[in-house]
Amino acid sequence: MAAAVRAAGFLPALCGAPAGHLWSRKLYLNTFPTASTLALKTVLSNGPLSSPGTRDNHHFSSLSHMLQTHCWISSPSKLVCQQYRPYSFFTKLTADELWKGALAETGAGARKGRGKRTKKKKRKDLNRGQIIGEGHSGFLWPGLNVPLLKDGAVQTIAQRSKEEQEKVKADMIQQREEWDRKRKMKVKRERGWSGGTWGGVSLGPPDPGPNGETYEDFDTRILEVRNVFNMTAKEGRKRSVRVLVAVGNGKGAAGFAIGKATERMDAFRKAKNRAVHYLHYIERYEGHTIFHDISLTFKRTHIKMKKQPRGYGLRCHRAIITICRLIGIRDMYAKVSGSLNMLNLTRGLFHGLARQETHQQLAEKKSLHVVEFRDECGPLPIVVASPRGGLRKDPEPEDDVPDVRLDWEEVKAAQGMKRSVWSGLKRAAT
């Protein structure tokens, strides 16, 4: 027991270590003999203890408090140091978790789409504008906030004057205000079909591919932007943005695709990069119009397209005008009836244009010359395609009653029966 008391009496002297050592709260009792360990346990349970025979001025209220707050004895001849970090709420959680709680992105109202939020909180970059080495005191640290070398010599640590430090702070405040002002400014985008919608807006060419291929000659146009919702078990109504875009190079190559994401800009990027992988080559007659009239029905959407001469222009639905410009068609008439669903309209248009029959294909199929009548040539036909093989000797059989689906509006216009709705209007005398 005497050895144990002597060991406990040396603890205050051992704890008086030189400055620069940081002590932890742990104690390894296996460094003492068995009798010493028993004595220390007895002392820790009995309460206060003072070391008799020592003239040290460091007095502790209890040996347990001293061991828990100051000493770590690993061996009688060697002292071990350990860094101590304060533990609090802000050091427990990561930065992402703290921002998640501050922005309240996981609230039940936000998940279920309850109401419209006029002001959406955004995450701030608190490190933006910070320079390593800068502080309130204005010290100049070579290699951090000032160059390491000046005139070939290593600079020494210096300090700015009070006026210079105030000027640096004022410049930093002004710069942060400019950043906030730029962030609040709305980016002026190209006008589409109408003022407030995304339809017809250009997104530029698709991004380069993984092998370095570029699509600089392609352009991307938005056809439709819609908010869609999916009901999930955990999050309720989950909102996403669905974007329909079309791409083309104006030389016959065009395609379309759908992109869906939580954010609108991510959906734009997905759609335009996906559309370039689903390209169609559309045949054009003399590079400006289609080869023949096309009438098709896709689901509940009816599209009727007519071939037109040069200079006629595009007189169609606004989505068809956008797609035709991407393809390279400059003269065409089209009428859409039935459902105006944008996706069905786009799919039906590409379905009809990709399956049109060229003049040469028609000549090979019929084994006859294909001729065309034009207004500038009068009644004289112009041969536009001839079969590569021999011509057929017997004429092509004709049905007694042509199996042609007629449009009543066209029939009335051809027979002169179609009149303007304003023709019988009686106007007041002026």
Side-chain angles (χ1 to χ4, degrees):
M1 295 298 293
V5 173
R6 286 197 301 271
F10 288 136
L11 289 177
L14 289 173
C15 292
H21 294 276
L22 186 61
W23 303 104
S24 175
R25 299 181 179 181
K26 296 183 179 179
L27 172 68
Y28 291 97
L29 296 179
N30 56 5
T31 58
F32 296 98
T34 306
S36 303
T37 305
L38 292 174
L40 286 174
K41 289 182 178 179
T42 305
V43 169
L44 290 174
S45 62
N46 289 339
L49 174 66
S50 62
S51 56
T54 57
R55 298 180 180 179
D56 195 352
N57 294 327
H58 299 281
H59 297 284
F60 296 92
S61 61
S62 65
L63 181 60
S64 61
H65 178 73
M66 174 190 70
L67 295 178
Q68 292 177 5
T69 57
H70 289 77
C71 296
W72 177 2
I73 304 175
S74 62
S75 64
S77 60
K78 183 179 180 181
L79 300 177
V80 179
C81 301
Q82 180 178 354
Q83 185 178 4
Y84 173 72
R85 180 184 180 186
Y87 187 77
S88 67
F89 172 79
F90 296 100
T91 58
K92 176 182 177 181
L93 301 178
T94 62
D96 293 334
E97 293 173 344
L98 291 174
W99 274 113
K100 195 173 183 180
L103 301 178
E105 295 177 354
T106 59
R111 289 199 306 267
K112 296 183 179 180
R114 305 298 187 197
K116 303 292 184 180
R117 293 192 174 186
T118 56
K119 289 187 178 181
K120 184 179 180 181
K121 298 180 181 178
K122 295 183 179 181
R123 181 171 178 171
K124 296 182 180 180
D125 186 5
L126 300 179
N127 295 324
R128 188 175 185 181
Q130 298 290 340
I131 302 175
I132 299 177
E134 287 290 346
H136 296 287
S137 301
F139 281 97
L140 301 177
W141 304 96
L144 293 179
N145 54 351
V146 293
L148 182 62
L149 300 176
K150 184 178 181 180
D151 298 333
V154 179
Q155 296 194 67
T156 58
I157 300 175
Q159 187 177 9
R160 293 193 188 97
S161 62
K162 188 176 181 180
E163 293 78 9
E164 293 178 352
Q165 183 64 15
E166 291 179 355
K167 184 178 179 181
V168 171
K169 289 182 179 180
D171 293 342
M172 179 56 64
I173 293 173
Q174 183 180 0
Q175 189 176 6
R176 288 177 178 173
E177 290 178 354
E178 291 179 358
W179 287 336
D180 294 338
R181 196 179 302 114
K182 289 181 180 179
R183 187 182 64 183
K184 293 178 182 178
M185 290 176 58
K186 291 185 177 180
V187 179
K188 187 176 181 181
R189 56 182 173 88
E190 179 188 356
R191 178 183 170 89
W193 298 331
S194 60
T197 62
W198 284 96
V201 176
S202 175
L203 295 179
D207 298 335
N211 298 326
E213 60 271 16
T214 58
Y215 307 96
E216 298 298 334
D217 53 341
F218 281 80
D219 188 22
T220 308
R221 295 281 176 170
I222 300 174
L223 299 179
E224 186 183 36
V225 178
R226 293 186 62 182
N227 293 329
V228 294
F229 296 88
N230 180 31
M231 186 65 71
T232 61
K234 292 184 178 180
E235 300 182 10
R237 294 178 72 231
K238 191 174 181 181
R239 173 184 169 276
S240 300
V241 180
R242 192 188 73 177
V243 179
L244 174 64
V245 304
V247 299
N249 61 351
K251 301 177 182 178
F256 67 97
I258 292 176
K260 186 185 293 185
T262 306
E263 299 295 333
R264 186 188 295 121
M265 301 309 296
D266 294 338
F268 289 162
R269 176 181 50 82
K270 286 183 179 180
K272 75 174 183 178
N273 292 337
R274 186 178 297 172
V276 79
H277 296 288
Y278 299 95
L279 294 179
H280 302 261
Y281 183 74
I282 308 300
E283 297 284 352
R284 298 169 297 158
Y285 177 63
E286 294 183 353
H288 73 98
T289 187
I290 55 179
F291 277 89
H292 54 82
D293 297 348
I294 302 173
S295 180
L296 62 95
T297 300
F298 189 86
K299 294 188 177 180
R300 292 185 177 274
T301 302
H302 310 285
I303 307 175
K304 182 176 292 184
M305 294 173 277
K306 289 186 177 181
K307 174 184 176 181
Q308 298 296 339
R310 290 185 183 273
Y312 183 84
L314 293 171
R315 303 182 188 179
C316 329
H317 188 275
R318 58 187 183 181
I320 298 180
I321 292 176
T322 301
I323 297 174
C324 287
R325 288 174 178 170
L326 294 174
I327 295 172
I329 298 175
R330 296 187 293 274
D331 304 295
M332 190 181 74
Y333 170 81
K335 182 178 180 181
V336 181
S337 58
S339 173
L340 296 180
N341 182 274
M342 189 62 65
L343 181 58
N344 291 340
L345 174 62
T346 306
R347 293 174 64 183
L349 180 65
F350 276 93
H351 181 83
L353 293 178
R355 286 166 175 76
Q356 60 179 330
E357 193 174 34
T358 64
H359 292 162
Q360 187 62 38
Q361 292 173 351
L362 181 61
E364 298 291 342
K365 177 182 176 181
K366 301 290 186 179
S367 297
L368 296 172
H369 296 289
V370 178
V371 298
E372 182 182 14
F373 292 91
R374 297 179 183 175
D375 294 339
E376 61 268 19
C377 297
L380 300 178
I382 299 175
V383 178
V384 293
S386 299
R388 294 187 179 91
L391 296 174
R392 60 186 305 173
K393 297 181 180 179
D394 53 330
E396 183 182 8
E398 296 182 359
D399 298 331
D400 296 336
V401 179
D403 187 11
V404 179
R405 181 175 296 180
L406 299 178
D407 187 0
W408 179 238
E409 298 293 333
E410 294 182 357
V411 172
K412 290 194 298 182
Q415 296 180 357
M417 299 170 57
K418 188 174 182 180
R419 300 172 60 188
S420 173
V421 295
W422 307 102
S423 59
L425 181 64
K426 295 182 179 180
R427 296 178 175 85
T430 57

